[in-house]
């Protein structure tokens, strides 16, 4: 994208058969796309491609606008039994190279789809969140039961999970290679590319135990809280990812394998983490608050503390996410959606399409915005008061 002065692209959709493909091609051309094609070969279905010549500005507003045009096209696709499947972004001059021979082609030269209004607002300041005070602890980590699990019968991204207990024990030792071990355990194995496996859920109680023991320094507890937040959100992420296809197939969205087990496993252990609230510094309290909001039945035990933390950070990015957490724990769905829409208007790296997912509840959508956005905020603003604060984006 470097050096582009404008962008164009394609929007792809899968439909069940040739008849549905012909109907969607006609609808998209009528909608204003200058070129629409369809070809078989996507499993038993057909792939319909709408060419969006734009041009759109090569900035955040432009990308948000072409994405919004794609969501309008997806609504048409659902009417024809279709759902989104890929697409592209490119310099307008390169769009011609995406064209291939297709049995169904319809043109509507000189037209352009309706351009939706995209609202972008300035981001609030990203104020620092301290990892101190963090008193030294002589606590020990209890890994009772770790060897009672038949890890050799479970799998992660690279096969047998027999190495998982050794990696968990390595984390408990708090050695110099701790960050590398954490990345191997989750980035490479248990949550590789956001996917859950049969070994992921059984490992979660021990990760909660590592964090809840208080034996690790705050910076490492923060890393564990972020892992737990990401892992617990895989269930919502997969449901939202299936929403368009589910709507086209007239069914409820389905969760990816093992994601619900992971979500429930973390929820079962969450009270032990919430009991640590008063012992945690602001940076870890922040992530703990967002994790609690994904489990309101447990999170309400610290709702007053979370409301106070939100008030302390009012007018900041972290304050917005804390307000969203507060709304979710109070089951105030309208307020939660309003805050979530406000956030995606300034958070450039969040996909506003999550909030339009058909068949998904307001709680699910807002909770996913909270988990995705708050984790990124925590990673860029947490600091130890004995060291310089991180540089915040403008």
């Amino acid at each position: 994208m470097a050096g582009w002065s404008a962008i164009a692209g394609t929007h792809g959709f899968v439909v069940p058969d040739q008849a549905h493909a012909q109907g969607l091609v006609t609808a998209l051309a009528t909608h204003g796309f200058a070129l629409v094609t369809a070809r078989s070969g996507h499993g038993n279905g057909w792939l319909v491609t709408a060419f969006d010549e734009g041009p759109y500005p090569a900035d955040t507003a432009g990308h948000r606008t072409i994405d919004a045009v794609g969501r309008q096209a997806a609504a048409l696709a659902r009417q024809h039994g279709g759902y989104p499947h890929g697409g592209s972004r490119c310099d307008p001059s390169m769009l011609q190279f995406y064209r291939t021979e297709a049995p169904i082609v319809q043109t509507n030269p000189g037209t352009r789809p309706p351009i939706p209004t995209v609202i972008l607002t300035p981001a609030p300041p990203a104020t620092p969140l301290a990892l101190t005070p963090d008193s030294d602890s002589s606590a020990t980590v209890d890994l009772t039961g770790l060897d009672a699990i038949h890890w050799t019968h479970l799998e992660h991204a690279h096969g047998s999970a027999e190495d998982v207990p050794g990696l968990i024990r390595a984390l408990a030792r708090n050695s110099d290679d701790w960050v590398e071990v954490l990345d191997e355990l989750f980035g490479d194995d248990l949550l590789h590319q956001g996917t859950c496996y049969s070994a992921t859920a059984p490992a979660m109680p021990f990760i909660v135990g590592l964090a809840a023991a208080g034996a690790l320094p705050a910076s490492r507890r923060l890393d564990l809280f972020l892992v737990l937040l990401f892992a617990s959100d895989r269930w919502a992420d997969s449901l939202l990812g299936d929403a368009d296809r589910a709507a086209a197939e007239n069914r409820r969205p389905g969760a990816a394998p093992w994601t619900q087990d992971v979500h429930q496993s973390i929820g079962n252990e969450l009270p032990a983490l919430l009991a640590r609230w008063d012992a945690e510094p602001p940076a870890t309290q922040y992530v703990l608050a967002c994790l609690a909001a994904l489990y309101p039945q447990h999170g309400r035990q610290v709702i007053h503390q979370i409301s106070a933390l939100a008030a302390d950070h009012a007018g900041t990015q972290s304050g917005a996410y804390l307000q969203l957490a507060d709304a979710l724990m109070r089951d105030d769905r309208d307020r939660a959606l309003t805050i979530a829409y406000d956030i995606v208007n300034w958070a450039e790296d969040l996909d506003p399409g999550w909030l339009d997912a058909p068949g998904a509840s307001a709680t699910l959508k807002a909770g996913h915005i909270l988990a995705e956005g708050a984790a990124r905020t925590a990673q860029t603003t947490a600091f130890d008061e004995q060291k310089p604060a991180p540089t915040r984006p403008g």
Side-chain angles (χ1 to χ4, degrees):
M1 293 186 293
W4 291 357
S5 59
I7 55 172
T10 62
H11 309 283
F13 308 95
V14 171
V15 293
D17 51 40
Q18 184 174 356
H20 285 83
Q22 182 62 70
L24 179 55
V25 166
T26 299
L28 290 170
T30 301
H31 185 63
F33 289 102
L35 172 65
V36 189
T37 66
R39 55 183 173 82
S40 62
H42 186 81
N44 294 324
W46 280 60
L47 179 64
V48 176
T49 303
F51 289 78
D52 193 346
E53 298 176 343
Y56 302 90
D59 56 16
T60 300
H63 283 278
R64 286 287 181 94
T65 303
I66 192 173
D67 289 344
V69 170
R71 291 196 296 276
Q72 290 182 341
L76 286 175
R78 285 195 292 272
Q79 297 173 19
H80 295 269
Y83 58 90
H85 181 77
S88 63
R89 298 292 178 267
C90 62
D91 184 274
S93 65
M94 300 297 293
L95 195 60
Q96 59 181 315
F97 297 107
Y98 288 83
R99 300 177 184 179
T100 59
E101 293 294 326
I104 300 177
V105 177
Q106 190 159 338
T107 60
N108 193 358
T111 62
R112 187 174 184 180
I115 307 301
T117 300
V118 171
I119 300 173
L120 293 175
T121 57
T127 55
L129 295 163
L131 281 164
T132 51
D134 184 34
S135 57
D136 293 333
S137 173
S138 58
T140 58
V141 178
D142 182 3
L143 295 178
T144 301
L146 183 61
D147 292 325
I149 295 173
H150 298 294
W151 295 104
T152 57
H153 297 172
L154 302 174
E155 293 187 341
H156 55 50
H158 300 289
S160 171
E162 61 185 347
D163 57 340
V164 167
L167 292 170
I168 291 176
R169 287 193 170 93
L171 291 178
R173 287 195 292 270
N174 192 27
S175 57
D176 291 341
D177 62 348
W178 193 90
V179 173
E180 290 76 14
V181 172
L182 184 70
D183 186 59
E184 179 180 354
L185 180 60
F186 289 104
D188 290 342
D189 293 340
L190 295 178
L191 289 170
H192 181 62
Q193 295 183 344
T195 301
C196 294
Y197 303 88
S198 60
T200 310
M204 289 303 160
F206 301 102
I207 301 307
V208 172
L210 287 175
L216 297 172
S219 61
R220 294 186 173 179
R221 294 200 307 276
L222 176 66
D223 287 341
L224 293 179
F225 288 162
L226 288 170
V227 165
L228 293 169
L229 182 62
F230 179 79
S232 65
D233 185 53
R234 294 308 86 206
W235 175 64
D237 181 79
S238 66
L239 287 170
L240 293 173
D242 186 52
D244 278 297
R245 181 170 186 171
E249 296 175 352
N250 196 28
R251 60 173 174 81
R252 296 172 65 95
W258 312 113
T259 57
Q260 189 169 12
D261 294 335
V262 171
H263 184 83
Q264 291 176 345
S265 177
I266 295 170
N268 291 341
E269 306 296 327
L270 186 59
L273 284 182
L274 297 180
R276 283 194 52 82
W277 180 273
D278 291 336
E280 293 294 339
T284 47
Q285 283 182 341
Y286 171 57
V287 182
L288 187 54
C290 297
L291 182 61
L294 302 185
Y295 303 89
Q297 70 276 25
H298 298 308
R300 292 189 184 103
Q301 73 183 68
V302 290
I303 192 169
H304 298 300
Q305 294 95 317
I306 292 173
S307 296
L309 190 63
D312 290 342
H313 294 277
T316 70
Q317 292 184 26
S318 54
Y321 288 113
L322 288 166
Q323 289 174 0
L324 179 52
D326 181 83
L328 285 169
M329 283 188 292
R330 297 179 189 277
D331 198 27
D332 190 341
R333 301 176 189 182
D334 290 341
R335 178 172 164 243
L337 269 184
T338 297
I339 296 171
Y341 274 109
D342 287 343
I343 287 172
V344 299
N345 286 342
W346 52 257
E348 296 181 4
D349 53 357
L350 293 182
D351 181 4
W354 291 325
L355 294 173
D356 294 335
S361 70
T363 299
L364 192 77
K365 296 174 185 179
H368 185 56
I369 292 292
L370 174 67
E372 287 276 341
R376 298 171 192 179
T377 304
Q379 289 172 322
T380 58
T381 61
F383 78 103
D384 187 325
E385 287 181 341
Q386 297 177 356
K387 302 175 183 178
T391 301
R392 250 75 59 195

